Amino acid sequence: MKYDDFNTLLVHSTGSRTRAIAPAIVPSAAFGYESPQEAEAIFSGELPHPLYARVGSPTVTQLENTVARIEGGIGAIATSSGMGALSMALTAFLGVGDEVLCIGGFFGGTYTLVNETMRRFGIHSHFCALDDFSQIEKRLQGTVKMVLIESVGNPSLQLPDLPRIIQLCNRYNTLLLVDNTVTPLTTRPLEMGADIVVHSSTKAMSGHSAALGGVAVLRATKTENEKLRDPKYKDLHPLLKKMGEKSMIAICKKRALRDIGMSANAFAAFLTMLGLETLALRLERITQSVVTVAQALHEQLPPDIQVLHPSLANHPDHQRYLSDYTEGCGSILTLECGSRERAFALLEHLELVIQTANIGDNRTLALHMASTIYREFDPDTRTCLGVTEGLVRVSVGLENPQAIIDDFVKAATVSA
Ligand SMILES: *Cc1c(COP(=O)(O)O)cnc(C)c1O
């Protein structure tokens, strides 16, 4: 699909073509059945009517269909938050004694989810550096059942060699989950061969800081070379046999969403759909602005503050940015200020840029990482996640890029 086709798809995929043009909000928690026979057919999955809002409702379904289309999945499941989508995917496919391989740096919540919460329930995780392929392959030869990776590390800004990781996961029949929060539309992991894509729709998809949400997109199961048929996934085989190509949707619904209930609500789904209508347009602007802002700040900030962005020639993943991320790598750039004091001084003098723990918003946002999202992590873990004492994460928004540049240059100069 050409990038501009996303604009066409997105503005026409929500709402109806007559009467109400905007999507309808159906807030009902319960849905009636016309007869006991109909109730039975709905519960058996034979009739695709809404059953009960915990396992799906019309407004949420509309959002799910749109996201499934833009990611090229067989279906999607919207959740109450991005963490909800990640928890759903992990708990649906894994159980006690299973192992997860986490490659590269991670969002703080994802790290604590796998390293603390999942661990308490007997799911163990290993961590590998992004390009340590010998270690990655060694782990995959073992008993790992799922690999987790971010399409662009938040906030490490590491760019993975996704084709190579996909190839390895396929060779060892291991599920690959890609957190694509930072790069909706511009990176399409399912089309590349990943198995599960997860988004925090709170971020760029929604864009307005108005709706918390998440979504997991699943691929169709295959008739040949289906990695889920590997004996290590034997507890999933009954569902695989019964549900055909939509098995992965059924696995998420029946083994996580139904029983844990991280379900999306209609109003958040509606707001997310409003955001989605302009996602392609906003991202086009933002991925251009982030390059402009990174370059200008690289030239104009005082020498004690370093700009990190893959579009800059000095970034370790610059070559991969040029070859694999031709449509950009999202809204984030980071500023290495050297120390917490320098970072705080810079942030205190920002006037336009908003300080908050969000990314992908229409407004430009900034946050000191080590004192906020990563405050409870020990120094080794922070290093492994790419977080230093002086790191400030910036998510570039829709403002005139010159206004963003001016705000940072002024704040950095005044506070020097
Ligand atoms: C924000 C974020 C999450 C968590 O999403 P929430 O909607 O805040 O629960 C997960 N992964 C990444 C990469 C994120 O940026």
Side-chain angles (χ1 to χ4, degrees):
M1 182 151 26
K2 283 209 289 295
Y3 189 81
D4 219 24
D5 293 334
F6 281 121
N7 283 303
T8 316
L9 189 156
L10 286 166
V11 294
H12 286 287
S13 62
T14 57
S16 63
R17 303 181 67 85
T18 54
R19 311 296 181 244
I21 300 298
I25 305 174
V26 182
S28 192
F31 300 91
Y33 323 121
E34 286 187 342
S35 64
Q37 289 79 9
E38 192 186 75
E40 184 175 30
I42 291 171
F43 272 74
S44 75
E46 213 174 290
L47 261 186
H49 291 322
L51 184 156
Y52 181 73
R54 181 165 17 86
V55 287
S57 68
T59 312
V60 172
T61 301
Q62 219 176 346
L63 167 65
E64 292 169 340
N65 291 342
T66 304
V67 178
R69 279 184 73 187
I70 62 179
E71 282 288 0
I74 185 125
I77 300 172
T79 53
S80 52
S81 69
M83 293 317 302
L86 281 162
S87 317
M88 178 180 69
L90 289 165
T91 50
F93 287 93
L94 307 173
V96 63
D98 287 341
E99 290 171 41
V100 179
L101 173 63
C102 304
I103 303 177
F106 284 91
F107 171 72
T110 309
Y111 181 80
T112 47
L113 172 67
V114 292
N115 200 49
E116 294 176 18
T117 304
M118 288 299 146
R119 198 174 289 270
R120 276 194 287 117
F121 293 94
I123 297 171
H124 284 268
S125 38
H126 306 283
F127 291 83
C128 274
L130 196 69
D131 283 328
D132 189 352
F133 284 100
S134 70
Q135 189 62 24
I136 291 171
E137 188 151 9
K138 203 183 282 169
R139 285 290 179 200
L140 286 171
Q141 284 164 347
T143 46
V144 166
K145 267 172 91 170
M146 189 184 279
V147 172
L148 248 60
I149 194 163
E150 292 184 354
S151 61
V152 172
N154 171 13
S156 70
L157 284 180
Q158 291 179 321
L159 303 182
D161 186 347
L162 270 183
R164 188 161 170 194
I165 288 164
I166 286 168
Q167 200 181 33
L168 281 171
C169 288
N170 289 344
R171 183 180 308 156
Y172 294 102
N173 278 342
T174 304
L175 288 171
L176 174 62
L177 181 154
V178 180
D179 182 335
N180 201 25
T181 299
V182 179
T183 48
L185 306 183
T186 59
T187 299
R188 298 191 287 283
L190 292 186
E191 288 178 7
M192 297 167 77
D195 305 292
I196 305 165
V197 162
V198 162
H199 284 274
S200 164
S201 62
T202 318
K203 315 291 170 59
M205 279 192 178
S206 153
H208 299 66
S209 284
L212 188 72
V215 60
V217 194
L218 293 308
R219 65 164 171 83
T221 50
K222 303 168 191 162
T223 42
E224 274 169 50
N225 297 327
E226 172 51 62
K227 60 174 78 161
L228 285 174
R229 293 216 175 80
D230 189 283
K232 71 181 168 194
Y233 299 110
K234 65 174 181 304
D235 57 332
L236 303 176
H237 290 176
L239 268 176
L240 208 60
K241 207 166 173 183
K242 190 165 150 218
M243 303 303 297
E245 63 170 7
K246 287 203 160 183
S247 290
M248 291 175 75
I249 300 284
I251 289 166
C252 288
K253 287 205 168 181
K254 287 178 190 289
R255 290 170 49 105
L257 186 75
R258 182 192 68 193
D259 300 347
I260 309 180
M262 57 285 277
S263 325
N265 73 73
F267 189 53
F270 167 79
L271 291 171
T272 306
M273 282 191 273
L274 291 193
L276 276 173
E277 289 189 12
T278 55
L279 177 63
L281 203 58
R282 289 184 285 111
L283 276 181
E284 193 175 336
R285 163 80 174 199
I286 285 171
T287 49
Q288 276 167 18
S289 285
V290 73
V291 172
T292 308
V293 172
Q295 185 61 39
L297 294 184
H298 175 66
E299 288 161 12
Q300 295 171 36
L301 286 183
D304 60 338
I305 300 180
Q306 256 200 347
V307 184
L308 289 121
H309 188 266
S311 67
L312 297 172
N314 66 355
H315 191 277
D317 292 328
H318 181 59
Q319 284 313 318
R320 202 168 279 160
Y321 173 81
L322 295 178
S323 60
D324 294 6
Y325 288 75
T326 52
E327 292 176 293
C329 62
S331 65
I332 304 175
L333 63 85
T334 56
L335 301 174
E336 178 49 76
C337 301
S339 70
R340 169 196 165 101
E341 290 69 29
R342 185 70 184 99
F344 274 37
L346 169 80
L347 289 166
E348 279 170 45
H349 288 86
L350 290 170
E351 286 174 6
L352 178 73
V353 174
I354 295 169
Q355 298 177 50
T356 182
N358 193 12
I359 55 167
D361 192 78
N362 295 338
R363 292 143 280 242
T364 298
L365 316 173
L367 190 69
H368 179 246
M369 292 283 98
S371 61
T372 58
I373 297 176
Y374 297 87
R375 60 173 296 113
E376 290 177 4
F377 296 179
D378 60 55
D380 283 352
T381 308
R382 276 191 211 153
T383 307
C384 148
L385 299 175
V387 174
T388 56
E389 271 304 311
L391 193 75
V392 170
R393 180 183 70 192
V394 177
S395 177
V396 170
L398 298 175
E399 303 94 337
N400 180 345
Q402 193 57 51
I404 305 168
I405 296 162
D406 291 347
D407 201 32
F408 279 106
V409 170
K410 192 172 130 273
T413 315
V414 173
S415 61

